[in-house]
């Protein structure tokens, strides 16, 4: 990458030095070659704490080029702290174009959601992963879990689902729901809601997973089979919501609960803010859209609410 | 269960820890449905032998071959790790002295029993649960305890749960390391009674390591007395206990406290 001639020390393009990027790209390529397999890599210190997406940032930094358009979401939202700061980080260190529109982005770094807008070929989804090992809470020994992956001993994963049914009458795991990739490796899809699991199956986009603290990278290449684990008599199913988004009226999307006041008032809105805004621009409206929402805003510090 | 071939053939098995002897030159055959007790004092190599036989340890020299369900003979120490682990969770069982070593303490009793079924590919919750209920019943654990964690169980119940967990895939060979160690006498008696019933009903072959001659007397048909890593005497249990020949066995038998 070109360095500007200046007396002041500058960052390399996209923060990481070229040797580090090379190392991470090799891990990514290996991950793509073995879908769902956790590839160890020499995770670097990043200018942010562990748990804030150091793995995802390293993956993004290694694959991003000057022509890329970056979108960063945190729980589906483009405007929360984590998303805003990571977006600002790449704007500063790579000078790339950023967007909040799913369709325009070439790289989407995400913490826990897959955008509602269908991804297309050529797009890359980068997940920030806290704990890459799906068997971790059942088997604490890393040597043992690696052996279990190697020998395809996945009975233990079903023990967890069994426990769910025994305790709650149904599979109560709602996020980090284990999946089997291409009929071989069981993988933790990072703590995305299981609502998004079906979107991973046969996705035309490349999906990369980076866990900075745990030093693992794994990948799901485009058009790969991703099957959520279940029991014959308790099949996998996604969450359903009995009301549409309060702002845009969308059905079949993942909703967040927003508390409105101290008297139990609440509403359910799209977790994907870009999707919600797009729909409202197109003229869709939920029961709290526009003036109805503004009227409720008197004690909510908000953006568009009228002050009275 | 009458066959004219043994289940397990062990010949000249030795395990050294550096220059120290774990067990040396052990040879025997185990027949289907037979319970063999390995007795001896602490440090006599009983547990080393058991760990070698169950492939948890690799011996320094010697062989052990096992007759698989398809009647082929396999050398245990030449099998791939995947095959060995598969064997251990289907055709074999291992009952640890401390139940916490053999159980998953943080998942319910039902899941503990069901784990092996799920490991061999059972994916029907209803069937797994029904098997768990059935097996808990057989080891005298009430159905109402199925969703409790083993942490909430007494020592005797934990040991019975461990046995159920091992037997659910109908193994043909079970290894037991001091199965009654650490239990009080009345609980021991019940457990032995239960084990004896299960072993007879299911036609299990078992290798039981114990320092308690009473356990050997109750459970086993044949016994092997070890001292300093070597076998000093083998024979039918009643014969060895009533008419011990080796001086060490005589000492062992005469050391039993009479109440």
């Amino acid at each position: 990458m070109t360095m500007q001639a200046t007396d002041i020390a500058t960052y390399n393009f996209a923060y990481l030095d070229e040797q580090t990027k090379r190392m991470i790209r090799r891990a990514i390529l290996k991950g793509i070659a073995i879908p769902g397999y956790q590839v160890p890599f020499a995770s670097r210190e990043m200018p942010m704490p562990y748990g804030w997406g150091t793995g995802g940032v390293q993956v993004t930094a290694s694959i991003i080029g000057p022509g890329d358009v970056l979108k960063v979401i945190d729980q589906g939202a483009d405007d929360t702290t984590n998303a805003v700061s990571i977006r600002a980080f790449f704007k500063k260190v790579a000078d790339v174009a950023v967007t909040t529109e799913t369709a325009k982005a070439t790289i989407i770094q995400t913490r826990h959601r897959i955008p509602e807008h269908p991804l297309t070929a050529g797009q890359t989804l980068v997940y920030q992963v806290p704990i890459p090992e799906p068997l971790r809470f059942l088997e604490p020994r890393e040597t043992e879990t690696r052996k279990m992956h190697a020998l395809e001993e996945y009975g233990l994963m079903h023990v967890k689902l069994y426990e769910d049914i025994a305790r709650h009458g149904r599979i109560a795991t709602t996020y980090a729901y284990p999946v089997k990739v291409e009929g071989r490796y069981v993988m933790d899809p990072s703590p995305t809601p299981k609502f998004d699991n079906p979107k991973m199956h046969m996705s035309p986009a490349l999906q990369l997973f980076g866990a900075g603290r745990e030093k693992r990278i794994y990948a799901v290449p485009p058009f790969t089979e991703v099957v959520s684990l279940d029991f014959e008599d308790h099949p996998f199913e996604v969450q359903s919501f009995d009301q549409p988004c309060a702002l845009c009226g969308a059905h079949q999307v993942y909703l967040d609960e927003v508390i409105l006041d101290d008297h139990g008032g609440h509403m359910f809105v799209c977790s994907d803010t870009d999707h919600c805004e797009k729909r409202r621009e197109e003229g869709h409206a939920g029961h709290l859209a526009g003036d109805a929402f503004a009227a409720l805003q008197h004690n909510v510090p908000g953006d568009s609410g009228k002050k009275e | 269960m009458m066959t004219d071939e043994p289940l397990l053939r062990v010949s000249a098995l030795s395990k050294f820890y550096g220059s120290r002897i774990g067990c040396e030159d052990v040879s025997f055959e185990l027949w289907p449905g037979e319970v063999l007790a390995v007795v001896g004092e602490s440090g006599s190599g009983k547990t080393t032998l058991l760990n070698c036989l169950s492939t948890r340890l690799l011996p320094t020299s010697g062989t052990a071959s096992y007759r698989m369900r398809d009647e082929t003979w396999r050398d245990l120490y030449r099998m791939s790790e995947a095959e060995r682990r598969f064997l251990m969770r289907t055709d074999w069982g291992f009952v640890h002295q401390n139940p916490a070593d053999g159980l998953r303490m943080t998942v319910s009793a039902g899941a503990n029993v069901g784990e092996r079924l799920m490991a061999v590919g059972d994916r029907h919750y209803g069937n797994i649960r029904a098997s768990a209920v059935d097996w808990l019943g057989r080891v005298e654990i009430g159905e109402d305890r199925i969703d409790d964690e083993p942490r909430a169980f007494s020592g005797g119940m934990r040991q019975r749960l461990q046995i159920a967990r091992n037997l659910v895939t109908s193994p043909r060979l079970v290894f037991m390391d001091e199965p009654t160690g650490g239990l009080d006498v009345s609980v021991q008696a019940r457990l032995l009674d239960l084990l004896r019933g299960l072993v007879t009903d299911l036609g299990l072959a078992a290798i039981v390591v114990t320092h308690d001659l009473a356990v050997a007397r109750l459970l086993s048909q044949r016994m092997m007395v070890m001292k300093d890593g070597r076998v000093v005497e083998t024979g039918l249990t009643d014969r060895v206990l009533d008419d011990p020949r080796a001086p060490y066995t005589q000492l062992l038998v005469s050391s039993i406290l009479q109440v």
Side-chain angles (χ1 to χ4, degrees):
Chain A
M1 292 296 135
T2 54
M3 296 278 275
Q4 279 159 356
T6 161
D7 292 341
I8 308 163
T10 51
Y11 289 116
N12 187 33
F13 177 79
Y15 188 76
L16 294 173
D17 63 90
E18 294 305 312
Q19 280 306 311
T20 299
K21 287 190 207 168
R22 193 178 147 94
M23 173 271 293
I24 295 175
R25 286 176 197 144
R26 288 175 74 117
I28 293 173
L29 286 174
K30 185 170 180 183
I32 293 170
I34 318 171
Y37 171 71
Q38 299 167 46
V39 186
F41 80 111
S43 178
R44 298 290 191 250
E45 289 280 326
M46 295 304 279
M48 55 168 72
Y50 285 134
W52 283 61
T54 53
V57 165
Q58 288 179 74
V59 170
T60 302
S62 307
I63 61 169
I64 203 163
D68 272 313
V69 182
L70 179 70
K71 170 182 163 84
V72 184
I73 51 173
D74 173 6
Q75 309 281 0
D78 294 279
D79 53 3
T80 49
T81 317
N82 198 212
V84 170
S85 55
I86 292 174
R87 204 160 52 223
F89 175 75
F90 280 111
K91 241 170 118 173
K92 182 171 179 183
V93 300
D95 194 30
V96 292
V98 293
T99 182
T100 56
E101 280 180 62
T102 304
K104 283 188 185 162
T106 54
I107 299 174
I108 302 167
Q109 183 171 331
T110 174
R111 173 171 173 260
H112 313 346
R113 275 308 311 281
I114 298 174
E116 305 289 357
H117 189 281
L119 300 176
T120 53
Q123 287 185 307
T124 304
L125 191 58
V126 178
Y127 295 76
Q128 304 169 196
V129 180
I131 294 163
E133 179 51 70
L135 301 160
R136 176 58 67 241
F137 293 107
L138 298 151
E139 176 51 67
R141 291 168 294 178
E142 177 72 13
T143 48
E144 184 67 12
T145 53
R146 295 191 78 169
K147 197 165 278 176
M148 289 160 88
H149 281 294
L151 301 177
E152 230 182 319
E153 286 180 8
Y154 290 130
L156 199 52
M157 209 65 250
H158 274 85
V159 170
K160 180 177 188 298
L161 302 180
Y162 170 98
E163 284 289 277
D164 266 6
I165 304 174
R167 275 162 212 244
H168 307 286
R170 66 197 162 80
I171 299 178
T173 303
T174 52
Y175 66 95
Y177 192 103
V179 293
K180 196 165 211 178
V181 183
E182 205 64 8
R184 177 58 178 84
Y185 282 97
V186 165
M187 182 186 94
D188 183 341
S190 93
T192 47
K194 68 177 174 181
F195 181 88
D196 287 338
N197 273 17
K199 293 182 198 161
M200 307 179 79
H201 178 64
M202 289 294 163
S203 167
L206 170 64
Q207 301 173 75
L208 302 176
F209 300 77
R213 182 184 49 209
E214 303 288 323
K215 302 177 172 56
R216 293 288 184 276
I217 282 173
Y218 50 104
V220 175
F223 303 106
T224 300
E225 205 173 75
V226 179
V227 180
S228 304
L229 301 181
D230 59 3
F231 283 105
E232 286 157 19
D233 47 349
H234 286 268
F236 172 78
E237 50 190 24
V238 299
Q239 296 101 321
S240 60
F241 299 89
D242 44 13
Q243 47 185 316
C245 170
L247 298 181
C248 76
H251 291 270
Q252 268 90 52
V253 292
Y254 193 74
L255 301 178
D256 281 340
E257 185 181 12
V258 177
I259 307 292
L260 296 175
D261 52 35
D262 292 343
H263 314 292
H266 65 135
M267 64 176 181
F268 286 93
V269 295
C270 287
S271 126
D272 186 339
T273 51
D274 170 59
H275 181 74
C276 198
E277 278 161 23
K278 279 272 143 40
R279 278 180 55 89
R280 275 181 283 163
E281 278 166 23
E282 286 163 12
H284 298 280
H287 72 282
L288 285 178
D291 291 343
F293 182 56
L296 276 165
Q297 287 250 309
H298 53 274
N299 57 3
V300 181
D303 41 11
S304 60
K306 287 177 204 146
K307 295 261 157 40
E308 291 178 27
Chain B
M1 289 299 287
M2 286 307 290
T3 40
D4 46 10
E5 271 198 301
L7 194 61
L8 182 72
R9 275 195 188 120
V10 181
S11 84
L13 200 71
S14 301
K15 171 74 187 174
F16 292 93
Y17 298 105
S19 58
R20 262 188 213 102
I21 299 173
C23 62
E24 195 179 12
D25 199 23
V26 179
S27 304
F28 67 93
E29 286 180 344
L30 184 76
W31 296 73
E34 181 186 41
V35 179
L36 172 73
V38 182
V39 300
E41 61 193 15
S42 295
S44 61
K46 308 183 299 271
T47 303
T48 296
L49 176 64
L50 193 73
N51 284 340
C52 284
L53 294 175
S54 59
T55 71
R56 291 153 56 83
L57 265 182
L58 284 183
T60 313
S61 64
T63 57
S65 31
Y66 181 72
R67 185 160 55 83
M68 310 289 280
R69 289 196 194 204
D70 62 2
E71 299 294 321
T72 54
W73 281 90
R74 298 292 307 273
D75 183 342
L76 291 179
Y77 309 120
R78 284 175 196 275
M79 290 168 93
S80 71
E81 187 170 21
E83 287 176 298
R84 274 209 304 266
R85 285 172 69 115
F86 183 74
L87 191 67
M88 283 177 91
R89 62 171 190 261
T90 52
D91 216 17
W92 288 2
F94 197 107
V95 177
H96 295 260
Q97 173 173 8
N98 177 5
D101 295 341
L103 291 171
R104 285 194 194 279
M105 299 302 280
T106 51
V107 303
S108 69
N112 263 295
V113 178
E115 180 178 343
R116 276 176 163 234
L117 294 174
M118 293 182 252
V120 295
D122 201 326
R123 293 288 178 264
H124 191 283
Y125 175 81
N127 295 351
I128 293 166
R129 196 161 171 91
S131 301
V133 170
D134 176 41
W135 271 100
L136 289 179
R138 290 208 219 178
V139 297
E140 299 165 19
I141 296 175
E143 197 183 331
D144 58 329
R145 301 303 299 271
I146 188 169
D147 292 329
D148 290 350
E149 286 178 10
R151 282 195 282 219
F153 287 4
S154 68
M157 279 175 85
R158 287 182 191 183
Q159 199 55 287
R160 279 180 275 142
L161 178 62
Q162 195 191 179
I163 289 163
R165 171 181 159 90
N166 273 288
L167 297 186
V168 66
T169 47
S170 324
R172 294 188 304 162
L173 173 58
V174 180
F175 301 96
M176 296 186 216
D177 189 4
E178 306 276 5
T180 55
L183 301 175
D184 60 61
V185 279
S186 58
V187 175
Q188 255 189 42
R190 260 179 79 197
L191 188 76
L192 285 173
D193 208 31
L194 177 83
L195 268 177
R196 197 156 59 156
L198 286 171
V199 165
T200 339
D201 291 351
L202 304 168
L204 283 176
I207 298 177
V208 185
V209 160
T210 180
H211 62 261
D212 188 340
L213 294 180
V215 170
R217 168 87 86 177
L218 275 170
L219 280 181
S220 68
Q221 287 105 38
R222 215 148 55 90
M223 69 190 278
M224 215 155 76
V225 184
M226 290 184 77
K227 170 138 176 56
D228 298 333
R230 294 184 148 270
V231 177
V232 294
E233 185 164 1
T234 53
L236 295 176
T237 302
D238 291 340
R239 202 280 293 154
V240 173
L241 290 178
D242 295 338
D243 177 24
R245 289 180 193 170
Y248 174 70
T249 318
Q250 292 170 357
L251 178 82
L252 204 65
V253 171
S254 60
S255 310
I256 300 173
L257 287 176
Q258 301 293 332
V259 224

